[in-house]
Amino acid sequence: MGKRSRKIVARIIGRLWRLFRRWLFLMFTFGPMPQHIAFILDGNRRYAKKHNLKMGAGHTVGFNSLVAVLRYCYELGVKQVTVYAFSIDNFRRKPEEVKGLMALMKEKIDELLDEDTIVHKFGLRINFWGCLHMLSEPARAAAERAMAATANNTGPVLSVCVAYTSTDEILRAIKKSCSKKTAEGCLRFTGDPVRDGACSAIAVADLEENLDSADCPDPDILIRTSGETRLSNFLLWQSTLTHLQNPLPLWPEFSLRNLIWAILEYQRVYPYLEARRRSLAKKHN
């Protein structure tokens, strides 16, 4: 078979695969669909070790998996995807590994802004959550360029957590809330917590509007790959009623089949989750 013939066959197979996905995803819409899925991208280093790859190669394969999973999510109608890409605790790794990951992060962010990517196909808006000042200068600049370039896009939202932990996010939200209330004259710091009135002046809503996730609904599903059951300081505030899942594949091995299973599991427990939401809503009212 000649080169031209192989291209034609590949094009036909690609079209058939897209048609099959479209039909398959249409079947899912008859049940409750998640609007926000969060992922802990766990297992990149173990994947590299498993396949005898050099340091950082597992993260490159993991990025390719991320692009594929994002495409499937957005084709399914999922409006928000949040990924835990780099924790503040990851800065404790070997300096050469952190340096390599920063360079890879900058490279992959720039790739997302190329013309022929899912960003342009779906009108994707990209957010970065966390302490961006902790990133290397090129990685931070790339993240800021991506947010600025996609700020006016009206399609699905991708939120990338880098230099992030949930406790740090909550702490920053508390500080912002206190600063705003102090500026408004609602808080006075005399050293006496009763007289200062911080507890009555700052409400849950004040904290939530100062979280990184302020404009984003809580995740319906949180998936951590590689079978790990820890949240590792990720979206602790936002995951009260989130369906937690821990599939066995390492992140670079996570596929459409695993995503479909995750949504089926969510649809199975959806009645319980909705009943729990209604119960909590009644208590708060």
Side-chain angles (χ1 to χ4, degrees):
M1 185 183 293
K3 186 176 181 181
R4 185 168 178 273
S5 299
R6 286 197 296 270
K7 285 185 177 180
I8 293 172
V9 171
R11 195 177 300 121
I12 292 171
I13 292 174
R15 287 176 179 173
L16 289 173
W17 172 235
R18 285 192 293 273
L19 284 171
F20 172 75
R21 286 207 313 266
R22 195 174 300 171
W23 172 83
L24 179 65
F25 295 166
L26 182 63
M27 297 298 102
F28 274 95
T29 60
F30 288 101
M33 287 297 295
Q35 294 301 298
H36 181 187
I37 302 179
F39 295 92
I40 299 178
L41 314 181
D42 194 16
N44 291 317
R45 291 197 298 174
R46 276 171 283 173
Y47 178 87
K49 186 175 181 180
K50 178 180 176 181
H51 294 276
N52 297 315
L53 302 176
K54 63 181 181 180
M55 184 176 66
H59 291 85
T60 301
V61 181
F63 175 79
N64 295 334
S65 294
L66 174 60
V67 171
V69 170
L70 288 175
R71 182 183 299 277
Y72 300 146
C73 284
Y74 299 142
E75 287 178 355
L76 279 161
V78 177
K79 302 299 183 186
Q80 305 259 359
V81 174
T82 300
V83 298
Y84 199 7
F86 196 84
S87 165
I88 289 175
D89 297 331
N90 291 149
F91 283 106
R92 299 174 185 171
R93 295 179 180 178
K94 295 178 181 178
E96 59 270 21
E97 182 179 356
V98 173
K99 183 179 179 181
L101 291 174
M102 291 293 110
L104 182 64
M105 188 183 302
K106 190 264 182 193
E107 175 189 332
K108 296 307 178 183
I109 293 171
D110 288 342
E111 279 185 22
L112 282 175
L113 297 181
D114 289 343
E115 289 187 10
D116 189 23
T117 64
I118 59 170
V119 171
H120 297 279
K121 179 176 180 179
F122 294 98
L124 199 65
R125 180 158 57 88
I126 302 176
N127 294 323
F128 284 88
W129 297 351
C131 300
L132 298 189
H133 67 274
M134 297 180 70
L135 302 177
S136 68
E137 180 58 27
R140 183 195 59 76
E144 291 180 347
R145 280 197 305 273
M147 288 191 287
T150 64
N152 295 322
N153 288 356
T154 57
V157 178
L158 169 64
S159 299
V160 184
C161 296
V162 290
Y164 170 95
T165 61
S166 187
T167 47
D168 178 76
E169 178 191 20
I170 294 168
L171 179 59
R172 284 186 284 110
I174 292 171
K175 289 179 178 179
K176 288 178 184 176
S177 299
C178 288
S179 295
K180 287 183 179 179
K181 292 295 183 180
T182 302
E184 294 167 1
C186 300
L187 278 181
R188 294 176 297 102
F189 292 100
T190 64
D192 184 337
V194 177
R195 291 174 61 192
D196 290 343
C199 292
S200 59
I202 297 177
V204 169
D206 296 316
L207 291 183
E208 290 184 335
E209 71 179 19
N210 287 295
L211 292 170
D212 294 337
S213 61
D215 298 323
C216 180
D218 291 347
D220 299 298
I221 306 173
L222 193 158
I223 297 172
R224 177 168 186 161
T225 52
S226 79
E228 292 287 347
T229 56
R230 296 172 289 112
L231 285 177
S232 293
N233 216 340
F234 179 55
L235 300 183
L236 302 181
W237 185 281
Q238 299 89 342
S239 56
T240 304
L241 292 173
T242 299
H243 188 223
L244 307 179
Q245 301 190 28
N246 311 93
L248 292 176
L250 304 174
W251 173 249
E253 300 166 340
F254 191 83
S255 66
L256 176 59
R257 177 174 61 87
N258 303 118
L259 180 63
I260 287 172
W261 183 255
I263 293 173
L264 286 172
E265 280 292 293
Y266 169 77
Q267 291 180 338
R268 182 180 64 82
V269 302
Y270 180 80
Y272 166 77
L273 294 174
E274 276 302 290
R276 184 66 178 147
R277 286 191 184 98
R278 287 194 295 270
S279 175
L280 288 176
K282 285 181 181 179
K283 288 182 181 179
H284 290 148
N285 292 335

